[in-house]
Amino acid sequence: MINADDIARLCYDRFSQLPRRGKPEPGREWTLLAAVVQVTRREDADSVEKEVVSLGTGTKCIGQTAMSPNGDILNDSHAEVIARRGCLRYLIQELHRAVSGQGSLVFCSADERGKWRLRPGVSFLLFTSHTPCGDASIIPMTDSESQPCPPVSSVNSFEWTDRRGDLKRKAEEPGQGAKPKLPHLEDRMQKSETKNEDAEQDSHTYPQSRDIHRTGAKCVPAGPEDSLHPGVGYHSTGVLRVKPGRGEPTLSLSCSDKLARWGVVGFQGALLCHFLEEALYFSTVVVGRCPYSREVLHRALVSRCSHVSNLPAGFSVRSPELLQSSLEFPFSRNQTELRHRAEQGRVSACGAAISWCNVEELPLDVTANGYKHGVTKKALGTPKSRSLLCKLELFHSFLSLVAATDLPSLPDSLRHSRSRRFSLSLPYLFSQDSLSCLPTERFSAFLLKNSIFNHGFDKLVIQCD
């Protein structure tokens, strides 16, 4: 049984042990935190071992014009994405140990040649200090004691708040360009409906006297748009969204959409599917103290994928256990504003993103604006500027894994005649985190296409030696 507070405490303690570099300035800067926790249940013991194997912080995302076709820039630095990419580094290290005969505490041999699977009793869960941006954050406000989210007094499409000052994710800093127009919320109904009227409402409809939390993530082009009506009708729900950037659109899907995708095609990525018998899924998603609705989170991560079928072997639609902790992240925006002093200036989001993962070499990686934190302009475009989480660096790590595998032990999908050559489609590799401009009705096709990426690398032959 997973205890949400135990998981939150474990992740917060791991963050507190990290060096100061890249952390927010107390009382002035805030950030979000996410982590991947490995859970090991041993057959010969009643205890369950829990260990943070990857941790990430961040709230930023680069615009589409700043993206690189070479995969050497980190496009998305939201905490959930950072934590998942750090976990890929950890998985590559564990597979490297497995194929080299050193033994892995995570993987054991599968029946198919060159394939590996999780050891019995090993699973992974995702912790995030705040509800993921996008669909999961469109939460109805309520006066319930367990979920105190009273109606907002003013809202724009980039920031939202409640009376307690508990703020949702703000994608960008204010003051960039003209201020967006504010929706006229004064037209909302002022009187709440009676309990009897509430009971007559459909189970998926909320009383119009209430409001919802806003998300800064925008509906993808060519899909349904937000109606911007006052109250609960402001947003469309269950649709794909892209994250706002620094004054320009991005091509990165919201974290809600990415988690939904990982719940179908796994979080291991296309490359590691060559070595794995089955996709890897998060067994549990734990959210820290913040505005939260389990119903909304289930809609965003599970329900809208429930109709996906005819998946390849090793893939299935998974429904993780959804839990919330009562513990708030010390560097959340709410806590930062409570500790803020006037002489510190305005409260703002921390510009740096921290990645830590349980690997032997270079476990800490701090980035800003898609590059290593503190890199000079002269170094831009060189290996020194690259984050260890960017697609190119992860690809190099994968090449090292392939090179460390004896030829007879390579998976069939990586064998090409008798040489150490294998086929990979680099356009797929460099675009699967940016597949955002899809109509909502093609969501299932989008998920299936990503699963096909795991098997369809046949456009470019790369020499390993």
Side-chain angles (χ1 to χ4, degrees):
M1 183 68 180
I2 297 297
N3 182 282
D5 284 353
D6 289 346
I7 296 299
R9 190 177 294 108
L10 183 68
C11 297
Y12 296 159
D13 288 347
R14 177 68 261 184
F15 175 80
S16 67
Q17 296 168 15
L18 297 181
R20 181 71 190 89
R21 181 168 172 244
K23 289 186 176 181
E25 179 183 333
R28 193 183 72 83
E29 293 181 319
W30 60 275
T31 192
L32 302 176
L33 178 142
V36 177
V37 178
Q38 180 178 319
V39 179
T40 305
R41 305 174 187 271
R42 306 203 180 277
E43 296 180 0
D44 56 349
D46 295 333
S47 61
V48 176
E49 297 179 9
K50 298 182 287 291
E51 178 187 12
V52 177
V53 297
S54 176
L55 180 147
T57 69
T59 64
K60 303 294 183 180
C61 189
I62 65 173
Q64 58 183 341
T65 60
M67 296 173 65
S68 169
N70 300 319
D72 55 352
I73 299 177
L74 188 60
N75 300 330
D76 189 342
S77 293
H78 280 216
E80 297 92 329
V81 176
I82 295 291
R84 178 256 178 182
R85 284 180 167 266
C87 186
L88 294 186
R89 295 186 63 204
Y90 172 72
L91 295 176
I92 291 174
Q93 173 187 267
E94 289 301 309
L95 283 171
H96 197 286
R97 289 174 176 171
V99 301
S100 60
Q102 300 177 41
S104 168
L105 297 176
V106 178
F107 297 108
C108 61
S109 297
D111 295 333
E112 186 178 348
R113 178 178 61 182
K115 295 284 189 175
W116 302 85
R117 60 180 175 85
L118 289 180
R119 288 188 175 277
V122 174
S123 62
F124 295 92
L125 65 81
L126 178 71
F127 171 80
T128 175
S129 64
H130 214 291
T131 47
C133 66
D135 198 60
S137 64
I138 305 175
I139 301 171
M141 294 179 179
T142 173
D143 293 329
S144 168
E145 292 296 327
S146 61
Q147 298 175 17
C149 307
V152 297
S153 56
S154 63
V155 177
N156 61 46
S157 58
F158 294 90
E159 179 180 343
W160 52 101
T161 181
D162 63 26
R163 288 197 301 254
R164 288 183 157 201
D166 201 359
L167 298 170
K168 273 297 297 166
R169 187 187 308 238
K170 183 176 70 173
E172 290 305 321
E173 300 298 331
Q176 298 179 3
K179 294 183 178 179
K181 294 182 179 179
L182 298 177
H184 296 289
L185 300 182
E186 61 270 17
D187 294 334
R188 293 177 305 174
M189 296 177 64
Q190 298 298 317
K191 296 183 179 179
S192 61
E193 298 180 15
T194 65
K195 293 183 179 180
N196 290 336
E197 290 173 331
D198 288 346
E200 294 175 358
Q201 292 286 334
D202 182 81
S203 60
H204 300 288
T205 305
Y206 298 97
Q208 290 301 310
S209 59
R210 295 176 180 172
D211 202 352
I212 55 172
H213 290 278
R214 307 294 197 255
T215 176
K218 310 300 180 185
C219 297
V220 298
E225 298 181 354
D226 289 324
S227 63
L228 307 184
H229 293 157
V232 297
Y234 189 87
H235 283 309
S236 298
T237 58
V239 302
L240 291 171
R241 295 176 178 273
V242 291
K243 297 168 181 172
R246 287 184 171 273
E248 65 170 332
T250 77
L251 295 181
S252 293
L253 284 171
S254 71
C255 290
S256 293
D257 298 332
K258 291 189 176 185
L259 263 70
R261 182 180 66 191
W262 301 340
V264 178
V265 301
F267 65 84
Q268 74 290 323
L271 295 179
L272 294 190
C273 276
H274 288 282
F275 282 91
L276 299 179
E277 182 181 53
E278 296 181 341
L280 304 181
Y281 299 94
F282 293 120
S283 62
T284 308
V285 175
V286 180
V287 180
R289 183 178 179 182
C290 64
Y292 173 84
S293 167
R294 187 187 182 282
E295 178 186 4
V296 170
L297 190 62
H298 188 272
R299 177 196 70 204
L301 306 190
V302 180
S303 297
R304 55 190 179 137
C305 304
S306 59
H307 63 283
V308 176
S309 59
N310 299 322
L311 291 167
F315 297 89
S316 62
V317 179
R318 297 295 178 94
S319 179
E321 183 179 10
L322 305 178
L323 303 174
Q324 186 187 25
S325 168
S326 63
L327 305 180
E328 188 173 8
F329 183 42
F331 287 91
S332 68
R333 181 159 188 173
N334 181 49
Q335 289 296 313
T336 299
E337 291 195 334
L338 290 176
R339 298 185 175 108
H340 178 67
R341 301 188 305 273
E343 60 269 21
Q344 291 181 293
R346 65 183 180 89
V347 172
S348 61
C350 182
I354 301 174
S355 169
W356 176 89
C357 55
N358 188 16
V359 296
E360 294 178 353
E361 296 184 9
L362 303 174
L364 189 67
D365 184 65
V366 182
T367 59
N369 299 319
Y371 297 98
K372 273 192 175 295
H373 188 255
V375 69
T376 63
K377 289 185 178 181
K378 185 178 180 180
L380 293 180
T382 69
K384 291 183 179 180
S385 69
R386 294 202 293 256
S387 165
L388 297 173
L389 304 181
C390 73
K391 296 171 185 176
L392 186 57
E393 287 295 323
L394 290 177
F395 182 58
H396 287 166
S397 298
F398 176 76
L399 292 181
S400 298
L401 172 61
V402 175
T405 308
D406 293 334
L407 183 59
S409 300
L410 275 176
D412 291 340
S413 59
L414 297 180
R415 299 168 64 85
H416 184 74
S417 299
R418 296 183 179 180
S419 68
R420 297 287 301 279
R421 302 169 68 192
F422 58 95
S423 299
L424 292 174
S425 172
L426 287 184
Y428 288 165
L429 173 67
F430 292 151
S431 65
Q432 67 172 339
D433 272 355
S434 304
L435 296 173
S436 56
C437 297
L438 295 171
T440 304
E441 59 269 17
R442 294 171 54 197
F443 188 73
S444 59
F446 155 76
L447 292 169
L448 287 171
K449 192 176 182 183
N450 273 267
S451 67
I452 293 172
F453 288 169
N454 298 325
H455 307 280
F457 304 128
D458 55 5
K459 290 190 176 181
L460 180 65
V461 175
I462 299 176
Q463 183 69 42
C464 294
D465 297 330

